[in-house]
Every structure is written in C-alpha cells, then in structure tokens.
Amino acid sequence: MTNAAQTVMEKFNDIILSYGQSDEYSFVFRKETNVYNRRSSKLLSYVTSLFTSCYVMYWPQWMGNKKLTYPPSFDGRVVLYPSDQNLRDYLSWRQADVHINNLYNTAFWNLVQKKGLTNKEAEAKLRGTYAAYKNELLFSEFGINYNNLPGMFRKGTILLRKQVNRTKHDISKQLIVPLHEDMISDIFWKKHSELLAHKYSPGFQLPGTIKSFSSMMMQRVTAFLAPMAVEATLQIQQQRGMATLKAISIRLKSVKNIQKITQSMKMVSAAKYSRAERELKAARPYGVGAQQFFEKTDIKADEKEEPKKLLIGITSDRGLCGAVHTGVARFIRGELGKDDTNTKVFCVGDKSRSILARLYGKNILMVANEVGRLPPTFLDASRIAHEVLKCGYDYTEGQIVYNRFKSVVSYQCTSLPIYGAPTVEKSDKLVLYDSLDSEVIKSYLEFSLASLIFYTMKEGACSEQSSRMTAMDNASKNAGEMIEKLTLTFNRTRQAVITRELIEIISGAAALD
C-alpha cells in the first residue's frame, strides 16, 4: 500500500503529504492546487483508480507466489478543510485511531495466540478497558513494551517530499520519504513547516538519515508490510457484510412501508370479502340445482370405452392470498399423475396455468385470463362454458376443481363432476324426465355447466378474498415484529457507535498524556 501511495504522489506533484494506516490512505493536496481545475469528481476517480491499479501491480513484489483471490477495490471521498487547524485535527484523529486500534489488536491477538483464549473470551477481557490497562497487560503477561514496537504500527506511515543533496556538486534531488513520527504534537509541524506554508516548497533532508531509514525499512517491509496488505483487502470484504446504522435505517424504513401496504391490502380485502360473501349466498342455488340433476340421473362414464377427462381449475390472476391457488393446482397435479395421457386441463385464471405449465404444459387445453380483478358474473361463466364446449375436445367426464368457502379462516379444495352429452344420453334414469331429446340435453348441459362454473367461481372468489385478508393480517403482524427487532438493533448499534467514539476520544487523550 505504501508503494501504491508513493506512485500516486509521483504522478501528482501537488500532493504534499500522504498518511496511511490499516487499509486507508489520505492524500493532502497543496492549498493553491489547480489540478483538473479543482474538480473533486475528477480527482477522486483518478486517485482512487490509480491507487487500486498500483496495489494490484505491486502485489507480486511483496506477496511472492501468493495470488489474489478476488479483485481488490477501494472507495474514496474528497473533503475541503477550511483551515490549517482543521487539517491538523483530521490527521491527529487518524493517528490517534492507529494507536487505539493497534494497541487493542496487539493485546487481543496475544491473548488468543499465546494465552489460548477464544476470540469471545479475549474480547470480553478487553471490553471497556483503557490504554493503561492494555499496556500493563502486555508487559506483565507477555513481556512486551508497547513503546518498543515498530513505529509503523503505532503511528502509521507518513509520506513527505524532501530535497536531498546526493551529488558531488550538491545538486538536490526530490524524494518521497516515509516517516513514522508523531503528527499530534506541534514538533512535527514546526519541523516540517513547509507543509502549511503559504506557498509549498519541499524541505531538505540529510542524506545519511534517508540512507539509514531506507535500510531499516527494507528489513521490516518483508515481515510487516505484506501482512498489512492482505489484511487491508480482507477487511474491505468484511465491511461489506457489516450492518451499519444507515443500512439498518434503510431496512427499517422499508419494512414500515411494507407494513403500510399490507395493512391497506387487508382493509381492501375485507371490503371485497363482505361483498363476495353476500354474492355467494345468491349464487349457491345455481350450483345446488345443477348438481341435483347429475345425482338423480345417476350418470356414470362407460368403463368399456376409453375415458377422455377434462379438469377445469378455478383460480384467478392475482396472488398474495396464501395457498388458495396452489391447493387447486396440487389437486389437478394429483389427477394428472394418475393419467396424463387422456386428461386435459382448462385453466380459469393465470395462476393455475403458471403452476402447471412447467410439468404439464402439454395437457393445458386453454386458459381464461383477466379473472379476479372484478367480481365474477354469470356472463363470464357463460363465456367460459361456451369455450369449453366449442374447443373441440369431446370429453366423457370431468371435474371442476375449486375452493369451497367454509368460514373466514377456512376453505376446502374440492371438486364437482361434469359429463359430456354422449355420457348423459346413455343414462338409464333419463326416463324420469319427459320430452328429452338430444337438443334439449345439449342445451341443458350447456346451461348447467355455466351454472356450475358461476357457482364455483363465486366460491373461489370468496375463499380468495378471505385468505388474502388473513394473509395480509399475518404479514402486518410479522412486519410489526421485524420493526420492533430492527428498532432495538438500531438503538443498540447507535449506542455502541457513541460509546466507541467516546472510548476513542478518551483513549486518544490518555495517549497524549
């Protein structure tokens, strides 16, 4: 990451300082910079993309044969600070954050790796402790003096431009120098006063200091910088799955909106259910009368002839009503499982077609759409009956599969038998009725089929509205429970953020002391 930041500084001469810690790097442009006409979007996209590409390019130099397992990515933002003091406060806060995190991580992993504690036990032991306690813990139990650890981990990495005299003729050359110094105190800013000068010009650095520091860095980079790069990319992936306050707030707002929708749908379904129940009472005589004819004439299909069956599934085009439609489709699938060669299906409503089309698409004879948006009428049932009789499929027997309404919270998937004209004419008990010829039987079967379809559609509509009302009520209750849990999580997360910030401020102040 330091190599990538150095390359960015080489490409942008107006960057006067870079500061890196963990998986983050901050780049400070000089006050009077006019790069890309000071367009923040251009600066942001170019610096971020250049840093990311350099990170990938330098990976083999530090990681050897270890390959990247996923493409790394870095985000960025541009902030314009109004004063020098604001800039110093920002960088001081970043360096204090380095100290807090590194002290905690050093104590945490020593407890885990050397003392044998689990992650949860180590976290519990360090929870709510101050810097003095962690320093004492490291020294007393592990013999580690925190102040003797490499400055790169305790203070982060500062990249500055310095002029160095390296030739015999004292010709100066500008280099990008990595430092590990304390930016919180005034000493650093007095030592490098050119950073906040009205017109920036890189200061001078002794060649001996550069040389000795470079040799020290080459010894430590192999041991420490490579693991930092790995941790940086891994941490980026982990942060994507963390629940932030913003994510929880968005989820909470979404669930509240869903609850409003389900409550509105429940009210609409309740009104439609009341109307459907009233209309069902008026439609029941149609179904009862048509059923009595088939029962009294004792009509049965001829077992000697090859059966041709027809199944009429009564559903609708609308969902969000529990298992109303799947129950009908399940019943039809069971019948098709017994004999799918001589059985055809007439789907009333698109829901039954969508469920059956995947396995039994070849058995679907016809589909009646636009069902369920308005209450069914006898005219709709007559049109469906007309299409059934005129489709060219001469069935011998069949069933109308529908949901029979029982109560607000209960319905039952059942079926009514239907028969073709040739089967009815062979019945022995037709002599009970006078003056029955083929034309009369044909006309009556068409009327009785329309009556049965009308009756079953009314039963199905009433069952659908009651089921939707119940489903939306349950959905509203579930949304309410989710809102309570998300609100509790939001409050806990917000309190944890506030507590963590207070601990960082107090620990940073303690570190300065």
Side-chain angles (χ1 to χ4, degrees):
M1 289 184 65
T2 301
N3 267 24
Q6 288 174 333
T7 304
V8 173
M9 290 188 69
E10 291 172 0
K11 296 293 183 181
F12 287 90
N13 292 324
D14 280 11
I15 297 178
I16 60 175
L17 178 147
S18 299
Y19 179 69
Q21 59 110 353
S22 183
D23 61 340
E24 299 179 2
Y25 247 97
S26 301
F27 299 94
V28 181
F29 284 77
R30 60 188 179 91
K31 296 178 183 178
E32 64 274 12
T33 183
N34 198 33
V35 179
Y36 299 129
N37 294 323
R38 300 176 73 91
R39 286 186 293 166
S40 60
S41 58
K42 189 76 172 180
L43 287 170
L44 177 62
S45 60
Y46 198 97
V47 171
T48 306
S49 60
L50 178 60
F51 185 89
T52 305
S53 59
C54 291
Y55 181 88
V56 175
M57 186 176 70
Y58 294 141
W59 176 273
Q61 297 182 17
W62 304 106
M63 304 304 293
N65 295 328
K66 186 178 179 64
K67 296 183 179 181
L68 285 167
T69 56
Y70 49 80
S73 60
F74 295 87
D75 65 342
R77 61 192 58 84
V78 176
V79 181
L80 182 62
Y81 289 104
S83 66
D84 295 341
Q85 187 60 45
N86 292 135
L87 176 62
R88 286 186 55 178
D89 291 342
Y90 167 75
L91 294 173
S92 300
W93 169 68
R94 301 304 298 162
Q95 194 166 56
D97 188 55
V98 173
H99 162 73
I100 295 168
N101 292 334
N102 185 64
L103 179 58
Y104 179 88
N105 289 332
T106 304
F108 179 87
W109 289 113
N110 275 281
L111 288 172
V112 172
Q113 296 176 354
K114 294 184 178 180
K115 201 170 181 180
L117 298 183
T118 63
N119 290 357
K120 290 186 177 180
E121 291 172 345
E123 183 182 357
K125 187 176 180 65
L126 297 176
R127 186 182 296 123
T129 59
Y130 295 104
Y133 174 81
K134 297 183 182 74
N135 279 309
E136 180 63 27
L137 175 70
L138 289 173
F139 187 76
S140 60
E141 296 193 20
F142 305 105
I144 297 175
N145 187 345
Y146 180 75
N147 292 325
N148 292 336
L149 294 179
M152 177 171 61
F153 300 113
R154 292 184 293 109
K155 299 178 181 179
T157 302
I158 307 167
L159 297 180
L160 295 179
R161 300 180 188 274
K162 289 296 179 181
Q163 297 287 351
V164 180
N165 294 328
R166 283 199 156 187
T167 63
K168 297 180 180 179
H169 303 287
D170 292 335
I171 299 175
S172 63
K173 183 178 181 181
Q174 187 181 113
L175 296 177
I176 298 174
V177 182
L179 303 174
H180 309 297
E181 298 181 359
D182 184 6
M183 288 193 299
I184 299 176
S185 65
D186 295 333
I187 298 175
F188 173 84
W189 299 100
K190 290 178 180 179
K191 182 180 177 180
H192 307 284
S193 58
E194 73 277 2
L195 295 174
L196 301 179
H198 179 69
K199 188 173 182 180
Y200 171 75
S201 178
F204 280 85
Q205 185 84 11
L206 295 176
T209 307
I210 297 293
K211 184 177 181 180
S212 61
F213 180 80
S214 299
S215 62
M216 179 182 67
M217 278 297 294
M218 289 307 295
Q219 294 173 0
R220 290 179 178 172
V221 152
T222 304
F224 299 116
L225 189 56
M228 279 182 62
V230 176
E231 182 182 359
T233 53
L234 288 177
Q235 189 171 358
I236 291 172
Q237 293 292 329
Q238 292 170 359
Q239 287 176 350
R240 292 174 184 171
M242 293 177 64
T244 61
L245 281 175
K246 185 176 181 181
I248 297 173
S249 178
I250 293 173
R251 181 74 185 279
L252 186 60
K253 184 177 179 181
S254 175
V255 175
K256 286 182 178 178
N257 291 336
I258 292 173
Q259 188 186 42
K260 292 179 182 178
I261 294 171
T262 55
Q263 288 175 343
S264 300
M265 292 184 67
K266 176 191 171 184
M267 295 175 64
V268 172
S269 298
K272 290 184 176 181
Y273 161 72
S274 299
R275 178 180 177 181
E277 188 179 22
R278 290 194 305 267
E279 293 180 351
L280 175 60
K281 293 179 181 179
R284 274 183 175 156
Y286 288 87
V288 173
Q291 292 178 62
Q292 287 180 354
F293 171 77
F294 294 115
E295 292 174 358
K296 291 182 178 181
T297 53
D298 194 19
I299 301 174
K300 293 182 181 179
D302 191 352
E303 297 179 357
K304 297 180 181 179
E305 295 182 1
E306 184 179 6
K308 296 180 69 176
K309 298 180 181 179
L310 176 66
L311 299 175
I312 302 176
I314 304 297
T315 57
S316 72
D317 295 350
R318 308 184 67 187
L320 298 176
C321 51
V324 168
H325 304 314
T326 55
V328 173
R330 191 183 301 114
F331 188 100
I332 295 174
R333 280 203 303 264
E335 294 295 324
L336 290 172
K338 299 175 184 178
D339 180 18
D340 62 344
T341 305
N342 300 315
T343 306
K344 296 294 183 179
V345 180
F346 190 103
C347 297
V348 178
D350 197 58
K351 286 296 180 180
S352 56
R353 180 206 59 80
S354 61
I355 298 173
L356 297 171
R358 186 170 62 89
L359 296 176
Y360 299 103
K362 62 180 181 179
N363 296 94
I364 297 177
L365 187 65
M366 194 176 292
V367 181
N369 292 325
E370 299 298 325
V371 179
R373 300 183 182 278
L374 296 174
T377 62
F378 192 82
L379 179 61
D380 298 331
S382 300
R383 290 173 178 171
I384 294 173
H386 180 74
E387 294 298 330
V388 170
L389 296 173
K390 299 297 182 182
C391 66
Y393 180 71
D394 298 326
Y395 62 94
T396 58
E397 60 179 323
Q399 298 180 76
I400 300 177
V401 185
Y402 69 104
N403 289 295
R404 185 175 181 274
F405 175 75
K406 297 175 70 175
S407 66
V408 181
V409 294
S410 177
Y411 58 88
Q412 181 181 7
C413 184
T414 184
S415 64
L416 292 177
I418 56 174
Y419 299 94
T423 305
V424 175
E425 290 176 358
K426 293 178 182 179
S427 176
D428 297 332
K429 294 186 178 182
L430 279 180
V431 295
L432 296 174
Y433 301 92
D434 296 331
S435 302
L436 285 181
D437 54 17
S438 59
E439 289 296 327
V440 173
I441 293 175
K442 182 179 178 181
S443 299
Y444 179 75
L445 287 179
E446 185 174 352
F447 174 77
S448 64
L449 180 61
S451 300
L452 288 173
I453 292 175
F454 175 63
Y455 163 66
T456 53
M457 289 178 71
K458 286 295 184 182
E459 289 275 6
C462 192
S463 301
E464 178 183 339
Q465 295 301 338
S466 65
S467 180
R468 182 176 290 113
M469 184 175 62
T470 305
M472 292 301 103
D473 183 51
N474 293 333
S476 300
K477 291 178 181 178
N478 293 337
E481 293 177 1
M482 289 186 65
I483 290 171
E484 292 179 1
K485 292 180 181 179
L486 288 172
T487 303
L488 183 61
T489 304
F490 179 82
N491 292 335
R492 285 179 176 175
T493 307
R494 182 177 60 180
Q495 188 63 39
V497 170
I498 296 171
T499 305
R500 185 172 64 250
E501 290 178 353
L502 289 174
I503 292 174
E504 290 177 356
I505 294 171
I506 295 170
S507 301
L512 293 177
D513 296 339

